[in-house]
PDB file of all heavy atoms in Angstrom:
ATOM      1  N   ASP A 123     -33.634-104.816 -87.599  1.00  0.00           N
ATOM      2  CA  ASP A 123     -32.862-103.975 -86.717  1.00  0.00           C
ATOM      3  C   ASP A 123     -32.028-104.904 -85.836  1.00  0.00           C
ATOM      4  O   ASP A 123     -32.513-105.460 -84.908  1.00  0.00           O
ATOM      5  CB  ASP A 123     -33.727-103.075 -85.864  1.00  0.00           C
ATOM      6  CG  ASP A 123     -32.902-102.235 -84.853  1.00  0.00           C
ATOM      7  OD1 ASP A 123     -31.714-102.041 -85.125  1.00  0.00           O
ATOM      8  OD2 ASP A 123     -33.482-101.798 -83.879  1.00  0.00           O
ATOM      9  N   GLY A 124     -30.735-105.091 -86.242  1.00  0.00           N
ATOM     10  CA  GLY A 124     -29.900-105.974 -85.453  1.00  0.00           C
ATOM     11  C   GLY A 124     -28.655-106.323 -86.254  1.00  0.00           C
ATOM     12  O   GLY A 124     -28.287-105.595 -87.193  1.00  0.00           O
ATOM     13  N   LEU A 125     -28.004-107.381 -85.828  1.00  0.00           N
ATOM     14  CA  LEU A 125     -26.751-107.830 -86.493  1.00  0.00           C
ATOM     15  C   LEU A 125     -26.928-109.238 -86.987  1.00  0.00           C
ATOM     16  O   LEU A 125     -27.799-110.029 -86.479  1.00  0.00           O
ATOM     17  CB  LEU A 125     -25.611-107.783 -85.474  1.00  0.00           C
ATOM     18  CG  LEU A 125     -25.345-106.427 -84.854  1.00  0.00           C
ATOM     19  CD1 LEU A 125     -24.301-106.606 -83.712  1.00  0.00           C
ATOM     20  CD2 LEU A 125     -24.825-105.406 -85.853  1.00  0.00           C
ATOM     21  N   MET A 126     -26.140-109.627 -87.982  1.00  0.00           N
ATOM     22  CA  MET A 126     -26.096-111.050 -88.400  1.00  0.00           C
ATOM     23  C   MET A 126     -24.615-111.376 -88.745  1.00  0.00           C
ATOM     24  O   MET A 126     -23.803-110.466 -89.107  1.00  0.00           O
ATOM     25  CB  MET A 126     -27.023-111.293 -89.582  1.00  0.00           C
ATOM     26  CG  MET A 126     -26.720-110.471 -90.820  1.00  0.00           C
ATOM     27  SD  MET A 126     -27.932-110.847 -92.162  1.00  0.00           S
ATOM     28  CE  MET A 126     -29.460-110.188 -91.485  1.00  0.00           C
ATOM     29  N   ASP A 127     -24.345-112.632 -88.690  1.00  0.00           N
ATOM     30  CA  ASP A 127     -22.973-113.054 -88.956  1.00  0.00           C
ATOM     31  C   ASP A 127     -23.030-114.497 -89.451  1.00  0.00           C
ATOM     32  O   ASP A 127     -23.999-115.242 -89.166  1.00  0.00           O
ATOM     33  CB  ASP A 127     -22.124-112.935 -87.666  1.00  0.00           C
ATOM     34  CG  ASP A 127     -20.636-112.979 -87.953  1.00  0.00           C
ATOM     35  OD1 ASP A 127     -20.212-112.810 -89.129  1.00  0.00           O
ATOM     36  OD2 ASP A 127     -19.830-113.076 -86.986  1.00  0.00           O
ATOM     37  N   GLU A 128     -22.067-114.911 -90.219  1.00  0.00           N
ATOM     38  CA  GLU A 128     -21.902-116.277 -90.663  1.00  0.00           C
ATOM     39  C   GLU A 128     -23.211-116.787 -91.345  1.00  0.00           C
ATOM     40  O   GLU A 128     -23.787-117.802 -90.935  1.00  0.00           O
ATOM     41  CB  GLU A 128     -21.523-117.208 -89.510  1.00  0.00           C
ATOM     42  CG  GLU A 128     -20.169-116.855 -88.861  1.00  0.00           C
ATOM     43  CD  GLU A 128     -19.039-116.994 -89.810  1.00  0.00           C
ATOM     44  OE1 GLU A 128     -19.051-117.803 -90.750  1.00  0.00           O
ATOM     45  OE2 GLU A 128     -18.068-116.183 -89.676  1.00  0.00           O
ATOM     46  N   VAL A 129     -23.604-116.099 -92.363  1.00  0.00           N
ATOM     47  CA  VAL A 129     -24.857-116.521 -93.157  1.00  0.00           C
ATOM     48  C   VAL A 129     -24.406-117.564 -94.181  1.00  0.00           C
ATOM     49  O   VAL A 129     -23.487-117.282 -94.977  1.00  0.00           O
ATOM     50  CB  VAL A 129     -25.462-115.311 -93.767  1.00  0.00           C
ATOM     51  CG1 VAL A 129     -26.639-115.768 -94.649  1.00  0.00           C
ATOM     52  CG2 VAL A 129     -25.917-114.315 -92.724  1.00  0.00           C
ATOM     53  N   ARG A 130     -25.079-118.731 -94.125  1.00  0.00           N
ATOM     54  CA  ARG A 130     -24.675-119.849 -95.026  1.00  0.00           C
ATOM     55  C   ARG A 130     -25.892-120.399 -95.717  1.00  0.00           C
ATOM     56  O   ARG A 130     -26.950-120.474 -95.141  1.00  0.00           O
ATOM     57  CB  ARG A 130     -23.966-120.911 -94.227  1.00  0.00           C
ATOM     58  CG  ARG A 130     -22.720-120.468 -93.469  1.00  0.00           C
ATOM     59  CD  ARG A 130     -21.973-121.545 -92.849  1.00  0.00           C
ATOM     60  NE  ARG A 130     -22.611-122.144 -91.690  1.00  0.00           N
ATOM     61  CZ  ARG A 130     -22.507-121.685 -90.427  1.00  0.00           C
ATOM     62  NH1 ARG A 130     -21.765-120.593 -90.181  1.00  0.00           N
ATOM     63  NH2 ARG A 130     -23.143-122.249 -89.427  1.00  0.00           N
ATOM     64  N   VAL A 131     -25.701-120.763 -97.024  1.00  0.00           N
ATOM     65  CA  VAL A 131     -26.767-121.374 -97.806  1.00  0.00           C
ATOM     66  C   VAL A 131     -26.261-122.679 -98.332  1.00  0.00           C
ATOM     67  O   VAL A 131     -25.197-122.781 -98.886  1.00  0.00           O
ATOM     68  CB  VAL A 131     -27.178-120.449 -98.968  1.00  0.00           C
ATOM     69  CG1 VAL A 131     -28.294-121.153 -99.788  1.00  0.00           C
ATOM     70  CG2 VAL A 131     -27.648-119.093 -98.431  1.00  0.00           C
ATOM     71  N   TYR A 132     -27.078-123.744 -98.151  1.00  0.00           N
ATOM     72  CA  TYR A 132     -26.760-125.075 -98.665  1.00  0.00           C
ATOM     73  C   TYR A 132     -27.729-125.466 -99.726  1.00  0.00           C
ATOM     74  O   TYR A 132     -28.866-125.015 -99.720  1.00  0.00           O
ATOM     75  CB  TYR A 132     -26.816-126.116 -97.533  1.00  0.00           C
ATOM     76  CG  TYR A 132     -25.786-125.882 -96.424  1.00  0.00           C
ATOM     77  CD1 TYR A 132     -26.015-124.969 -95.383  1.00  0.00           C
ATOM     78  CD2 TYR A 132     -24.556-126.552 -96.417  1.00  0.00           C
ATOM     79  CE1 TYR A 132     -25.148-124.712 -94.374  1.00  0.00           C
ATOM     80  CE2 TYR A 132     -23.613-126.333 -95.380  1.00  0.00           C
ATOM     81  CZ  TYR A 132     -23.902-125.422 -94.352  1.00  0.00           C
ATOM     82  OH  TYR A 132     -23.016-125.188 -93.351  1.00  0.00           O
ATOM     83  N   ASP A 133     -27.315-126.331-100.643  1.00  0.00           N
ATOM     84  CA  ASP A 133     -28.265-126.791-101.700  1.00  0.00           C
ATOM     85  C   ASP A 133     -28.880-128.117-101.367  1.00  0.00           C
ATOM     86  O   ASP A 133     -29.309-128.854-102.285  1.00  0.00           O
ATOM     87  CB  ASP A 133     -27.601-126.827-103.057  1.00  0.00           C
ATOM     88  CG  ASP A 133     -26.474-127.840-103.207  1.00  0.00           C
ATOM     89  OD1 ASP A 133     -26.182-128.522-102.191  1.00  0.00           O
ATOM     90  OD2 ASP A 133     -25.862-127.882-104.272  1.00  0.00           O
ATOM     91  N   ARG A 134     -28.936-128.454-100.114  1.00  0.00           N
ATOM     92  CA  ARG A 134     -29.671-129.618 -99.629  1.00  0.00           C
ATOM     93  C   ARG A 134     -30.105-129.345 -98.212  1.00  0.00           C
ATOM     94  O   ARG A 134     -29.690-128.438 -97.570  1.00  0.00           O
ATOM     95  CB  ARG A 134     -28.845-130.899 -99.695  1.00  0.00           C
ATOM     96  CG  ARG A 134     -27.677-130.913 -98.723  1.00  0.00           C
ATOM     97  CD  ARG A 134     -26.953-132.259 -98.681  1.00  0.00           C
ATOM     98  NE  ARG A 134     -25.762-132.226 -97.821  1.00  0.00           N
ATOM     99  CZ  ARG A 134     -25.801-132.482 -96.488  1.00  0.00           C
ATOM    100  NH1 ARG A 134     -26.989-132.795 -95.939  1.00  0.00           N
ATOM    101  NH2 ARG A 134     -24.712-132.440 -95.777  1.00  0.00           N
TER     102      ARG A 134
END
Side-chain angles (χ1 to χ4, degrees):
D123 176 21
L125 302 173
M126 61 180 68
D127 200 11
E128 299 299 329
V129 175
R130 303 186 289 273
V131 180
Y132 297 83
D133 65 0
R134 66 174 177 87

